[in-house]
Amino acid sequence: MAFTDTKGRYASFGVVTSLPEEVIDAFWYIIDNYLKGVFQLNELIQFELLNKAGQISFRFSEKNLPTTIIFDSPYSFDPFYPRKIYVTDNQGKETIMLADEYSLM
């Protein structure tokens, strides 16, 4: 099961240059506090950043789960933020990356 034996956490160049640090940290917070131990996660999970009344909402989805969860945040939405974000677990090395960066792997 993925995301259970964290050895390191990383953010890709594209993520670091397009999202503020607190938004990046919010992904890890959501994974640690709302997803791990609740759902059996695959090695690849997907989030979508949504605009909800000017604030960011994180929509979580995964292919094997029929459930979609939306997490509201206090962070301001910026229309230039990337919409799709992937988080991968490669044997404990967890990385947040843009959809375009994932397709290059």
Side-chain angles (χ1 to χ4, degrees):
M1 186 164 51
F3 297 94
T4 57
D5 186 25
T6 302
K7 295 185 171 98
R9 287 193 160 159
Y10 311 94
S12 70
F13 179 79
V15 168
V16 170
T17 58
S18 62
L19 292 173
E21 185 177 328
E22 61 269 11
V23 174
I24 296 169
D25 290 342
F27 287 103
W28 300 127
Y29 184 84
I30 291 168
I31 291 168
D32 288 342
N33 294 287
Y34 298 108
L35 302 178
K36 282 170 97 171
V38 177
F39 300 102
Q40 186 170 348
L41 301 172
N42 288 330
E43 289 80 21
L44 175 68
I45 59 177
Q46 177 180 314
F47 289 90
E48 186 176 354
L49 297 181
L50 306 173
N51 182 359
K52 184 175 179 186
Q55 304 299 110
I56 296 174
S57 288
F58 298 81
R59 180 175 17 205
F60 162 77
S61 62
E62 192 174 276
K63 286 183 182 180
N64 70 323
L65 295 174
T67 304
T68 297
I69 305 170
I70 297 176
F71 301 92
D72 294 333
S73 81
Y75 309 116
S76 295
F77 182 83
D78 184 324
F80 294 104
Y81 287 166
R83 293 291 181 267
K84 286 191 178 181
I85 302 290
Y86 292 114
V87 185
T88 63
D89 180 355
N90 184 5
Q91 299 177 358
K93 297 174 189 166
E94 300 169 2
T95 306
I96 298 173
M97 63 185 72
L98 303 178
D100 293 344
E101 294 172 315
Y102 179 74
S103 66
L104 295 174
M105 292 181 72

